[in-house]
Amino acid sequence: MGLLALQRLMSLQRDRQRHQRRTRALSGSIDSSMDIRKGSPCQQDAHGDSHAAKRMICSIPTLPEDILHHIYSLLPLRDAARAACSSHAFLRFWRCHPNLTLNWHILCSNANASQENFICIIDNILRNHSGINIKILKLQLYGIYDAYQYLDSWLQVAVKPGIEELTIELCYRVDMKHNVPCTLLTDGVQNSVRYLQLSFCAFHPTPELGPFRNLKSLLLRSVHILDNELEGFLSNSHALEKLDLNSCEKITCLKIPSILLQLHSLKVSCCLKLRVIESKARNLSCFILEGQSVKVSLGETLQMKNLCMGRSNLVCYARVKLSSSMPNLKTLSISSHYERVNTPMLRTKFLFLKWLSIYLRLTSCPSYDYFSLVSFLDASPSLETWLLDVAEESMQHESIFGGGSLQLRQMPMQHHGRLKTVRFKGFNSAKSLVELTCYILRNAKSFGRLTLDTTYGDPKCDSAMSGGRCTPMSKDFSWKHVEGFRQLERILKIRFLLLLG
């Protein structure tokens, strides 16, 4: 939007320069007569302005009103409100401002402002608005417990045909029973809205609601909606491209109809009662499933490019099944809290996979062989980045410091020419993990960076999580951290010996 405005202003400036050149070609008498006219905005002052400056001052008020309105619409909401207090023209523009993003951060500069004042500010803004020309409405009412009482009247003012983006975020409440009224979604609104986000409320669309012909993106967070209601709403949203469901606890079975030919992104997270996902959308290219074990049927998956899932035994499943059912994957993120068998070596490949993330929490699987993850490297000739998180807080695997054999397994040389970045989080002294690291060091010829993080990603001095102050580590954790440096020193020595060999 800012770039578009700049381009328009530059075009306006070029038009102004052409107009000035044509003016200079005319007789100078016209300019002179204007200069001596009493009360003219171009009248020469006591210090003697130049003719060029006079012409510049005269040209500013000649900007078309629609251009001024557009420039005004690009202002942040707080600045637009200030400008409206200083000009009748800007006050008219304010009453039909197209972008209303109303939240505590934007409207309340005083952190100690009361909830009543915040509600009053929103109420005044919307009641003084004409309701015309609103393209974007964001009511982000988190932290304002009583705002839902005024929601319906606010929506009646602001939700009109022509609106394109509608966001309603209520404050978290245990019941979350406030129902977003479907009666506001008239035919005109259904035809224009492109983005719909609802949070911490109830939404119960009926079959009589009709189609949403241009809805591209739907995000529901902690929304009470039933299976059949969501299925019916999706069936009426033929243009839908992105669907994001988060913490919708009433959904048990999610069905994606085949009529959604443009749907390419599906994300489902923390829907605790969800048991089945059945998708018939043929062009789905991104699927993210977080926080639960769900039976998934995605139908045709040849278009799948990005996949993120988590459940038990998923690492082995991904290697065995996904390389054949989703051969065009480019990014793969999987997490597993239990792996019954090691990852097998297979002939099938992830020919286009460039980014791989594997999260393993194997506190009850001491026999799992980390070295078997070499199978993913063998299957991914295009792999550039690999992230491995082995959050094993209590060491149960065989350690290279355990007094046993220090002989490390090796495999035939494989040239992983595109692998640039590898990061192991929770790196420890497990012998199979050391063997995996040695394999990478030996075979990644164009290697750029290897990070062995022994702290499990500990946010010890993370300003965002600890407020900028370093939090102390336990003695057990500190000892593991020191041991990690010993492991790192050993790896470097092994790498040196391998290079000499």
Side-chain angles (χ1 to χ4, degrees):
M1 182 64 76
L3 180 59
L4 179 61
L6 181 59
Q7 292 171 342
R8 291 188 178 183
L9 288 175
M10 293 175 65
S11 176
L12 178 63
Q13 185 178 9
R14 289 193 294 269
D15 292 341
R16 180 185 300 166
Q17 291 172 349
R18 285 194 293 268
H19 175 72
Q20 290 176 353
R21 286 195 295 268
R22 287 194 298 268
T23 302
R24 293 191 192 101
L26 298 176
S27 173
S29 61
I30 298 178
D31 287 335
S32 300
S33 63
M34 292 179 62
D35 289 346
I36 62 175
R37 188 176 303 161
K38 184 178 181 181
S40 169
C42 288
Q43 187 172 359
Q44 186 173 1
D45 60 19
H47 299 283
D49 291 315
S50 67
H51 289 288
K54 297 171 197 174
R55 284 192 294 268
M56 182 67 71
I57 295 173
C58 284
S59 63
I60 292 176
T62 64
L63 288 176
E65 185 168 313
D66 60 336
I67 297 296
L68 287 173
H69 192 182
H70 175 73
I71 295 173
Y72 179 81
S73 69
L74 299 177
L75 291 174
L77 191 67
R78 186 190 295 271
D79 295 336
R82 289 194 181 109
C85 296
S86 62
S87 166
H88 289 292
F90 287 154
L91 181 59
R92 291 198 308 272
F93 297 157
W94 170 255
R95 288 173 176 163
C96 53
H97 199 281
N99 184 352
L100 296 181
T101 300
L102 308 176
N103 59 47
W104 188 280
H105 175 70
I106 290 178
L107 299 181
C108 294
S109 57
N110 183 2
N112 296 322
S114 66
Q115 295 188 21
E116 291 78 6
N117 287 341
F118 179 70
I119 292 174
C120 265
I121 293 173
I122 295 181
D123 195 64
N124 287 332
I125 290 175
L126 292 178
R127 291 191 181 280
N128 287 306
H129 199 284
S130 64
I132 300 174
N133 200 37
I134 296 181
K135 300 297 183 183
I136 300 175
L137 175 64
K138 296 182 180 180
L139 288 172
Q140 298 168 325
L141 308 175
Y142 34 77
I144 312 301
Y145 295 100
D146 297 328
Y148 72 95
Q149 301 178 22
Y150 306 89
L151 181 63
D152 291 0
S153 61
W154 292 343
L155 294 178
Q156 288 175 2
V157 172
V159 179
K160 302 291 184 183
I163 191 169
E164 296 179 358
E165 296 186 23
L166 176 60
T167 298
I168 302 174
E169 297 183 60
L170 299 182
C171 180
Y172 172 79
R173 299 174 64 88
V174 176
D175 50 11
M176 291 185 295
K177 293 181 179 179
H178 186 81
N179 186 29
V180 174
C182 295
T183 54
L184 294 174
L185 303 176
T186 61
D187 291 340
V189 173
Q190 293 170 7
N191 292 334
S192 64
V193 67
R194 300 168 60 88
Y195 176 92
L196 178 61
Q197 176 179 344
L198 304 177
S199 300
F200 299 111
C201 61
F203 184 53
H204 300 294
T206 61
E208 294 77 18
L209 191 57
F212 287 74
R213 296 180 177 85
N214 292 300
L215 184 62
K216 302 291 185 181
S217 183
L218 175 63
L219 191 156
L220 303 180
R221 179 187 178 196
S222 296
V223 172
H224 284 195
I225 185 170
L226 302 180
D227 295 349
N228 60 322
E229 294 170 339
L230 180 57
E231 183 179 1
F233 187 84
L234 295 177
S235 298
N236 280 327
S237 306
H238 299 177
L240 195 65
E241 298 176 357
K242 297 181 180 180
L243 175 61
D244 188 340
L245 304 176
N246 184 298
S247 302
C248 297
E249 297 185 357
K250 293 294 183 180
I251 300 176
T252 60
C253 178
L254 174 61
K255 293 185 178 181
I256 310 295
S258 59
I259 199 170
L260 299 185
L261 297 177
Q262 299 184 48
L263 184 68
H264 61 78
S265 177
L266 173 61
K267 180 178 180 180
V268 182
S269 53
C270 302
C271 297
L272 301 181
K273 295 183 180 179
L274 183 64
R275 295 293 177 264
V276 177
I277 296 178
E278 180 181 331
S279 173
K280 297 181 180 179
R282 286 180 278 177
N283 295 311
L284 197 63
S285 61
C286 178
F287 176 60
I288 300 175
L289 177 62
E290 299 176 348
Q292 57 274 314
S293 178
V294 180
K295 181 180 179 181
V296 178
S297 174
L298 297 178
E300 297 182 18
T301 56
L302 294 179
Q303 300 294 327
M304 192 68 68
K305 300 291 193 303
N306 307 294
L307 181 68
C308 176
M309 292 182 62
R311 72 182 191 195
S312 298
N313 298 305
L314 184 57
V315 175
C316 181
Y317 174 86
R319 183 63 187 93
V320 173
K321 297 293 185 180
L322 298 186
S323 53
S324 56
S325 61
M326 301 180 185
N328 296 312
L329 280 175
K330 292 185 177 180
T331 67
L332 175 61
S333 178
I334 52 180
S335 62
S336 174
H337 288 256
Y338 181 84
E339 286 295 316
R340 184 176 302 168
V341 297
N342 296 326
T343 308
M345 293 290 291
L346 301 170
R347 292 184 178 181
T348 54
K349 303 288 185 181
F350 294 103
L351 293 177
F352 305 101
L353 189 65
K354 294 184 177 182
W355 190 91
L356 173 64
S357 174
I358 299 177
Y359 173 85
L360 291 171
R361 185 177 291 275
L362 303 177
T363 54
S364 60
C365 307
S367 62
Y368 183 78
D369 186 3
Y370 291 120
F371 193 39
S372 69
L373 295 174
V374 166
S375 177
F376 279 95
L377 290 176
D378 178 71
S380 309
S382 301
L383 191 65
E384 298 176 357
T385 301
W386 185 17
L387 309 178
L388 176 62
D389 188 337
V390 287
E392 188 177 357
E393 297 183 7
S394 58
M395 179 64 183
Q396 297 186 30
H397 285 75
E398 179 187 359
S399 172
I400 58 173
F401 301 124
S405 172
L406 294 179
Q407 184 68 34
L408 300 179
R409 291 174 293 174
Q410 296 187 20
M411 294 183 63
M413 289 284 291
Q414 298 286 337
H415 296 293
H416 302 289
R418 297 190 178 183
L419 188 62
K420 301 288 194 305
T421 302
V422 174
R423 178 176 181 179
F424 289 172
K425 185 186 295 185
F427 184 78
N428 56 60
S429 61
K431 185 176 180 180
S432 61
L433 188 59
V434 174
E435 291 170 332
L436 175 62
T437 307
C438 289
Y439 174 86
I440 294 173
L441 289 171
R442 186 177 184 183
N443 292 279
K445 297 302 182 181
S446 60
F447 207 44
R449 174 178 294 182
L450 170 65
T451 302
L452 303 180
D453 183 355
T454 66
T455 66
Y456 310 108
D458 176 54
K460 179 177 178 292
C461 292
D462 189 326
S463 59
M465 299 187 67
S466 61
R469 290 180 291 183
C470 293
T471 56
M473 291 188 293
S474 64
K475 292 182 179 180
D476 182 58
F477 192 92
S478 300
W479 169 248
K480 291 177 182 177
H481 188 73
V482 173
E483 184 179 335
F485 280 108
R486 293 175 58 193
Q487 297 159 23
L488 177 58
E489 181 182 9
R490 182 181 180 84
I491 293 297
L492 293 176
K493 290 180 179 179
I494 293 174
R495 167 64 169 164
F496 181 72
L497 293 175
L498 288 173
L499 289 176
L500 291 179

